[in-house]
Amino acid sequence: MDKEDGVNNHGDEVQDIENNGLLDGKEEIGMHWSEFSDRNISHTQPLLAKRTNITSQIAIVGANLCPIESLDYEIFENELFKQDWRSRKKVQIVQYVILKWGFALLIGLGTGVVGFFNSVAVENIAGSKLLMTASLMTKNKYYEAFLLYAGLNMGLAAAAAALCAFIAPAAAGSGIPEVKAYLNGVDAHSILAPSTLFVKIFGSILGVSAGFVVGKEGPMVHTGACIASLLGQGGSRKYGLTWKGFRYFKNDRDRRDMITCGAAAGVASAFRAPVGGVLFALEEAASWWRSALLWRTFFTTAVVAIVLRASIQFCSTGKCGLFGKGGLIMYDVSAYKVSYSGADLVAVLILGIIGGILGSLYNYLVDKVVRTYSIINEKGAAFKILLVIAISLLTSCCYYFLPWVAPCTPCPTNITTSCPSVDESGEYKRFQCPPGYYNALASLFLNTNDDAIRILLASGGFHVFSLFIFFVAVFFIGIITYGIAIPSGLFIPVILAGAAYGRLVGRIFDPVMTLDTGFFALLGAASFLGGTMRMTVSLGVILLELTNDLLLLPLVMLTLLVSKTVADSFNKGVYDQILHIKGLPYLEAHAEPYMRNLVALDVVTGPLITFSGIEKVGNIIHVLESTGHNGFPVIDEPPFSDTPELCGIVLRSHLLVLLKGKNFSRERVPAGQSIFKKISAFDFAKAGLGKGIKLDDLDIEEEEMDMYVDLHPITNASPYTVVETMSLAKAAILFRQLGLRHMCVVPKSQGRPPVVGILTRHDFMPEHVLGLYPHMKSHKWD
C-alpha cells in the first residue's frame, strides 16, 4: 500500500485524486499484495533511489489506485506547528485537557446508550417473533408456524442486507478487523463514516433479530469506534458547527486515541465488561499505547458500565417490553461447585487442545467461505441480498426442523419455573412434545443466541445426541453466515458453539468428573474463543466479568492458554485472516525473519522526487498532477545552505492548502515571519472524510506558475530517518512502534544526496519484499 505515501515508485498514473488527493493504496480491497507486486514491479532487484529533476517528464505506468490512506500519527513539527504551540495560553492548554476527558465521557455515554438500545430492540423484535411462532405451535399449526418464522427471518435479513448493500457496504461483517487496521495506521474508505455508524446500529439489530448465528458484540466495537470518530471530526465547517476549541483535535493522533476509547467502550457495552474492554483495546485492537491513554480508556468504559446499570434499573419496572434480565449478557454460574481433582485438570487440558484444533479449523473454513462470498458480493447489491436471504432460509429450516429429531425429555420436578415454558426465552420449550415433557433442542434453537448460551451454561440435563446435533449445526451455520452482507459479530457464534462442545465433553466425562457440566460449557466457550481469536488476557477477564465468579478464573486461564498455543501452530487468528482477505496492509508487531538479512536500502525503489526549500509553483503543480505521492523530501541547496541538506518532509495535503492560499513571491526568497499572519495551523488541520482541498479546487493563474513559494513553514523539520545500512527488520519495528507514515533513508557516507529514499508502509509488506527477492520464499531463517 502507501507507495503513493512516499516517493519511491517509478511513476504511477493517478487515476483518481479524491479524498484530498491522498490516494495511498495501490490495492483494491480484496486484492492480494502478491497480485499488486506482480503487476507493478517488473524488476527483482531494487533501484538505487536518485534525485530526479521535477520539471522532467515522469514515466507513467498503469496503476490501480484506491482510496486507502495511511494516517499521520507522527507529530508534524513544522514552523507553523511550533508557532501555534508558542502562541497557546495556559487556559487553552487546560481547555485541551478538559476537552479530551469530555470527549471520553461523551464516547462512553453514546456507546452505552447505543448498546442498551440494541439489546432492547433485539429482545423485543426477536421475542415477539418467537412468541408468535410458539403461539401457532401450541395450536398444532406447525406449517403456518414455520412459514411465519421463516418469513419474518427472511424479511428482517433482507432489510439488514439492503442497508449494507445500498447505504454502507463497509458496515458488513464484524468491523473489528477494520478498527484494528485504523489503529495500525490504515484509513480504509468509509469504515468510520456516519453512514457506516447508522447501518451498523440498525443492520446489527435486524440481523441478530433475524435469527442468524451472529452476535451484536463485534459490531458494537465498530459502533463505538464510529461514535468516537464522529466526535473527533471536531464539528462541521459546512454547517457552521465548528468550535475554535475543536481545532486541537483535528489530527490523526488525537482521533486515534478517541477511537481506541470507542473500541474499548464497544466491548464494555456488549459484555458489561468495563475492565475487559480496556484489556481488549490493549491486547487486540490498539497498535500503540501509553499510560495516559489507559486512564482515559478506563474512564470511558466506567461511564459505559454506569449507563448500562442505570438502564437495567429503568427496565426492571417493566417499561422495556420483552427486555428482561436476559437482555444484556450476564451468565449466573454461582451454582457451580468449583473444586477439582487431577482428573478434572486432565479433562480441561484435553478440552483446550481439542478446542484449539476446532478453533483453527473454524478459522480455515471461515477464510474459504469469505473468499467465496467476496466473488458473489462483487456482482452487485442484488446478489448480496439474495445470498443473505438464502442463508436466512437455510438457517430457519435448520432451526425449525432439527428439533423434530430430538427426543422429548420429562420435565424436572425440582424447579421453580414452569415446564413447559410459557415465555419467549424459556429453557423448557414444549415444541411437539406431550404435556409434562419438553424438547431440549428446541429450547436452544428457538431462542435468542444469548438465551441459548445462558441455557447451556445453566445446571441441567441435555441428551448427548441433542448436544451433538446443536454443536454441528451451530458450528457450520456460523461459518457460512460470516461474510454475508450484514453486520455480524463472531463472539456469540464462537461462544455458542464452544459452550455446546464443552457441555458435550462434560457429559461424556461426567461419570469420572467432579466439575459441573455447565462449567464445562464455560470452559468449552473459552477454548473456542482462544482457538479462533487468539486472545488470552482480555478474554479471561471478559469471561470473569460475564460470570461474576473469581473462582472460575484459574481453569479459564489454563484453557485459553492451551487452546491458543495449539491453534497458533496451524494458522493465524480469525481477525488477522480477515485483514488479509480485505487487503488491509496491517503491520505486525514483529518483523518477518528474512527481513534480518536485508537492509533498508534493499527495498527502496526509485526515482526519488524532491522539492527545493523555495520551489517554483509550476513545478509543484506538475508533480501533484503527475504522481499520487503524499510525502516529498525538501532539500535545501546553495545559496540557502553550504551543501545540499535534508530540510524535512512536506505533505501533499499541506501543499494544496499552501497553494490555495497563494502565498507566492516573484523572487526566490524566504517568506519570513509575515507568512504566519496569512496562514495558521488551523488551516492545515485534518479535514473530515472527503472534505479536504483537492487539486481541482486550485485556481492558479498562468503568470503564477513561474512564481515561488517557500515550503519551510509547512515542512516537517524533524522527520524520522534511518541509515541505509540498518536492517529492514529493525526499521520495520521502528516504523510500527512510532506510528509513522514516512521514514527517510539517508546515506552512510558523505558526498551523496542527503536522502536516498523513503520507506512507507508498502515497503514493509511481505508481498512487496518477496516480490523483490523471491528466492527468500524458500529460506527458513532463524
Side-chain angles (χ1 to χ4, degrees), residues 5-7 72 74-79 608-611 629-635 645-652 654-655 711-721 735 740-746 755 757-760:
D5 274 343
V7 290
D72 293 300
E74 177 186 356
I75 295 178
F76 215 74
E77 294 183 341
N78 53 35
E79 289 299 326
L608 179 65
I609 301 174
T610 65
F611 288 127
H629 305 328
N630 276 295
F632 303 90
V634 177
I635 306 295
E645 61 181 31
L646 176 64
C647 179
I649 289 181
V650 64
L651 296 181
R652 168 186 286 265
H654 291 181
L655 286 172
L711 303 182
H712 291 98
I714 64 169
T715 299
N716 182 6
S718 56
Y720 285 95
T721 62
F735 192 93
L740 302 183
R741 185 176 186 179
H742 307 97
M743 177 182 281
C744 293
V745 181
V746 297
V755 57
I758 287 185
L759 295 178
T760 63

Side-chain angles (χ1 to χ4, degrees), residues 238-251:
K238 180 178 179 181
Y239 300 106
L241 300 176
T242 298
W243 180 41
K244 186 177 180 180
F246 284 162
R247 66 192 177 107
Y248 302 128
F249 297 93
K250 283 183 170 288
N251 61 82

Side-chain angles (χ1 to χ4, degrees), residues 305-438:
I306 294 172
V307 170
L308 293 180
R309 174 55 59 188
S311 302
I312 292 172
Q313 289 179 351
F314 172 78
C315 286
S316 63
T317 60
K319 298 179 180 179
C320 299
L322 298 177
F323 179 83
K325 291 189 296 183
L328 288 167
I329 303 177
M330 189 68 182
Y331 306 126
D332 184 13
V333 295
S334 58
Y336 293 166
K337 181 177 65 174
V338 192
S339 61
Y340 40 88
S341 61
D344 294 322
L345 291 177
V346 173
V348 170
L349 289 174
I350 295 174
L351 190 77
I353 293 171
I354 299 176
I357 296 173
L358 290 175
S360 61
L361 175 63
Y362 193 94
N363 291 359
Y364 173 80
L365 295 176
V366 165
D367 182 274
K368 299 301 180 184
V369 168
V370 171
R371 291 180 185 275
T372 303
Y373 285 172
S374 65
I375 299 174
I376 300 175
N377 291 335
E378 287 174 358
K379 295 182 179 180
F383 285 88
K384 292 181 180 181
I385 297 174
L386 288 175
L387 177 61
V388 170
I389 293 175
I391 298 299
S392 175
L393 179 59
L394 176 62
T395 303
S396 299
C397 290
C398 290
Y399 271 40
Y400 188 84
F401 291 113
L402 283 177
W404 290 88
V405 304
C408 293
T409 305
C411 289
T413 56
N414 56 343
I415 58 173
T416 57
T417 58
S418 60
C419 181
S421 303
V422 294
D423 60 340
E424 83 285 352
S425 60
E427 60 179 294
Y428 301 108
K429 289 189 178 291
R430 180 180 173 183
F431 203 62
Q432 88 291 7
C433 296
Y437 288 80
Y438 73 98

Side-chain angles (χ1 to χ4, degrees), residues 33-47:
W33 281 103
S34 57
E35 296 173 357
F36 158 72
S37 299
D38 293 341
R39 184 169 65 246
N40 294 305
I41 298 178
S42 59
H43 55 277
T44 57
Q45 296 296 328
L47 304 174

